[in-house]
Amino acid sequence: MKGTADGEQGMTMRQLALCDEEVAGAEVIPLYEEAEEPRPARGMRRAGVLLVACGLALLPWLYVLATGLPATATAAHWPVAWVGLDALEALGLIATGLLAARGDRRHALAAASTATLLVVDAWFDTTTAAPGGDFATAVAMALGAELPLAALCGRLALRALSRRA
């Protein structure tokens, strides 16, 4: 039995069992106390309450949008919107990759943002695509590139956040 205290090295299993019985009635003291989660600062709590209130206030607005928007619309800057979204995705992927490769924990922030952008892109690509070839291309891009990359970025973010500082 390597690594045990002197005197215990020659003990048999029966002797160890007797020692365990002697210890069974003793008070067990944990090696470390689990720290309680610190209570967030008052400003953080207020921000949290404000964000929840804003989210709840948006729920009726969703009904207004769902029942009031026209089925089709024309956007004056359609190419700028899509190029801008894809440019942000490219920057997010590059930033996440560079930070992760350097071992910088801030990659979690870039990864979470990039995952969100990729999911939004997949959503809007598929929901705004014309039926037929455009829709098939949008689904292929979503399933083959955008959503798998979003899942990878999400995993990177969660792994980094679950590690202790």
Side-chain angles (χ1 to χ4, degrees):
M1 296 181 62
K2 283 186 175 178
T4 57
D6 290 347
E8 284 188 19
Q9 288 182 350
M11 295 179 112
T12 65
M13 291 301 287
R14 185 172 191 287
Q15 290 170 320
L16 287 174
L18 290 174
C19 289
D20 286 345
E21 289 173 7
E22 293 171 5
V23 173
E27 179 185 357
V28 177
I29 300 171
L31 295 176
Y32 63 93
E33 295 284 330
E34 293 223 12
E36 289 185 27
E37 286 290 324
R39 186 177 171 141
R42 186 169 57 188
M44 187 64 74
R45 288 193 310 268
R46 284 183 181 167
V49 170
L50 176 66
L51 292 172
V52 169
C54 289
L56 291 173
L58 278 176
L59 295 179
W61 179 244
L62 294 176
Y63 176 77
V64 171
L65 289 176
T67 58
L69 285 175
T72 60
T74 303
H77 303 287
W78 190 251
V80 174
W82 287 110
V83 170
L85 179 59
D86 285 352
L88 287 172
E89 290 171 12
L91 288 173
L93 290 168
I94 292 167
T96 301
L98 289 174
L99 290 169
R102 288 191 332 199
D104 191 326
R105 288 182 48 114
R106 291 176 293 179
H107 79 273
L109 299 171
S113 301
T114 304
T116 303
L117 287 170
L118 288 162
V119 170
V120 168
D121 190 12
W123 174 263
F124 282 106
D125 280 346
T126 56
T127 59
T128 61
D134 286 346
F135 181 73
T137 301
V139 169
M141 286 293 293
L143 295 177
E146 294 158 346
L147 295 177
L149 283 171
L152 174 62
C153 287
R155 184 167 185 247
L156 286 172
L158 290 174
R159 280 185 57 203
L161 294 175
S162 66
R163 291 189 191 136
R164 291 185 181 232

